[in-house]
Amino acid sequence: MNITDLSGQIFGYIPLGDIVLYFTPFNLFLLSIVLLFTIFIALSNTETQVEARFGTLQDREVKVDKSEFKIRRFLAIVCGLATAGAMITGDLFNFMLFTALIGIINIGLVGAVKIVDVLDSAFQYGIIAMIATLPLFGGAAIILAATGTLSLLELSNRAASPMVSFGSILIMAGIAGETGMAPFYATKAEMFRTPGSPFLLIIHLSSLLVIVRAVEVLLIIN
Amino acid sequence: MTGAEVLVPDVVSPTVVAIYGPAVIVGLLTALIALIGIAFKKGDLTALILTDIVGLGMLIIVAAVSTDLAEALILPGLVVELAEILVISEILMSREMRKTGKNVKLAPFPFSMNMEILETAPTFFAIILIAYGSFLTGFTGGAVAGVGILFYVISKTARGVPLHTWKGVGAISGMGWTLWLVGFVVLFVAPQLWLLGLSMSSFGILIKVASKVGLVGIIGREEFKRKR
């Protein structure tokens, strides 16, 4: 499908050698959401979760200490920037790399919590993410073999062949595993249950935007 | 999948083209074998080690394309795989530390080597490896030279390297890294100066990797000596 039909007119390119970043109204919309949220994260403090107790009227505050807070904020900003990169890239393999990077950072974000259930689900999400890199990168490689190019701007002009469709199906499976779509959403939802929002919201936002952009990419290719 | 439609230049021999379909199938089969292994032997550590084989399947499918671009794509795939293994193993150790309540160092050095080569050959090997690595340049050259430095540092038991030497080595490593990045920017922005960009990036990454690996060796040796 033509990029202009799908996302609006192309405003411009930033060609970094092989990898061309391109801007359309759709991309810019997603990019601005991500950058806005990243700026919010950079400027915000962490929350303090308040838990009620049985038997008394006092509440218990669950806080994140300062060094952990700083590391988490840094990782959340990097996750936001990786999502921003994934939104505007015009190279298929580059998009897969950003998606895998987002997956790794999501695990790192919850790596320092002291709750065993969260660490359990982070471990299981990590295993699924590792398994999902096979269809993710393998699908991109099959599309490279079938068409000879990885550039989205070039792929939009070609008709889809069965090999390209097979590669797209593999990419869909890889995105589903990496971003935590069904049926892998259970672990990713459990990773969230730790003090330290609003940074942890980047976990959900990055997955959401990557899924939307992945649908656009697959429509461009086919 | 024989008769898979792939885009093939005329210079490629038909044998190579015919191998592509079977290569992709082999990659998928490798991943299937690994997943069956995970299903049979349950256990978190086993699952982690066996998912690395799934990553190997991914490398097989990427390498099956057999062009220069595919070779360039293998390195990011490998790096992503490595990073994921590191992150997940740290999560596993974190979880076990929380569960059992014990605290262990996240990078232990299991050292007690009693090999003759560590006494008779360190200087010679180190010089050969560093010279070869400097001649190679690039990432591989940096790794070879770094291994030379590492070997020398581990085998010699002299102690007492002053702290500013370590910091100096770290600073040199950072500057080498910056040189590498600037070299790449030169290649993008001014392609007619390609030789300058190539030299800057290859020597920069050589310095960076060699001093990084050597620094790991020095820190590791100091940590090890502190236990005795």
Side-chain angles (χ1 to χ4, degrees), chain A residues 48-215:
Chain A
T48 303
Q49 280 187 353
V50 172
E51 291 179 358
R53 280 183 179 179
F54 282 116
T56 86
L57 283 174
Q58 286 183 332
D59 297 323
R60 185 174 58 171
E61 291 185 345
V62 184
K63 281 194 190 161
V64 173
D65 61 342
K66 191 90 171 150
S67 55
E68 195 182 326
F69 153 69
K70 281 187 178 170
I71 293 176
R72 270 211 208 150
R73 187 169 66 175
F74 170 69
L75 281 178
I77 292 175
V78 173
C79 189
L81 293 177
T83 318
M87 290 303 112
I88 54 175
T89 183
D91 183 81
L92 189 63
F93 207 80
N94 202 21
F95 179 63
M96 305 305 156
L97 282 175
F98 274 128
T99 306
L101 175 65
I102 290 170
I104 298 173
I105 296 180
N106 285 355
I107 304 174
L109 264 176
V110 297
V113 301
K114 303 175 178 43
I115 308 173
V116 177
D117 292 329
V118 170
L119 289 177
D120 251 339
S121 43
F123 174 75
Q124 282 159 13
Y125 168 66
I127 296 282
I128 296 289
M130 273 181 72
I131 296 177
T133 58
L134 175 90
L136 203 64
F137 293 122
I142 286 177
I143 290 181
L144 171 65
T147 56
T149 178
L150 285 172
S151 160
L152 287 178
L153 303 163
E154 193 63 36
L155 284 170
S156 66
N157 296 332
R158 293 171 192 247
S161 62
M163 279 291 270
V164 170
S165 305
F166 177 60
S168 310
I169 293 175
L170 280 183
I171 288 179
M172 225 163 45
I175 297 271
E178 196 79 39
T179 59
M181 269 160 57
F184 308 117
Y185 57 84
T187 58
K188 209 154 187 186
E190 287 301 314
M191 263 165 63
F192 197 82
R193 298 185 190 284
T194 159
S197 304
F199 309 142
L200 299 183
L201 287 175
I202 195 69
I203 294 179
H204 284 301
L205 186 70
S206 58
S207 305
L208 175 69
L209 291 177
V210 161
I211 293 172
V212 170
R213 172 96 171 121
V215 168

Side-chain angles (χ1 to χ4, degrees), chain A residues 93 107 120 126 130 134 145 147, chain B residues 7 20 57-58 81 87-88 95:
Chain A
F93 207 80
I107 304 174
D120 251 339
M130 273 181 72
L134 175 90
T147 56
Chain B
L7 186 75
Y20 177 71
M58 180 259 289
E81 194 70 33
V87 152
I88 300 176
R95 190 189 73 177

Side-chain angles (χ1 to χ4, degrees), chain B residues 23-24 32 34 50 129 137 154 171 180 185 189 200:
Chain B
V24 172
L32 189 66
L50 287 176
L129 284 174
T137 68
I154 291 177
W180 179 57
V185 170
V189 164
M200 281 169 71

Side-chain angles (χ1 to χ4, degrees), chain B residues 75-122:
Chain B
L75 196 67
L78 207 58
V79 165
V80 160
E81 194 70 33
L82 191 68
E84 286 187 326
I85 279 240
L86 282 175
V87 152
I88 300 176
S89 50
E90 299 245 346
I91 290 261
L92 197 56
M93 289 186 70
S94 246
R95 190 189 73 177
E96 293 303 314
M97 282 199 283
R98 298 280 168 234
K99 270 190 189 168
T100 58
K102 296 187 228 173
N103 250 347
V104 292
K105 276 187 351 176
L106 278 172
F109 257 67
F111 259 88
S112 65
M113 299 199 294
N114 196 4
M115 301 194 277
E116 184 201 335
I117 197 172
L118 289 181
E119 282 145 45
T120 52

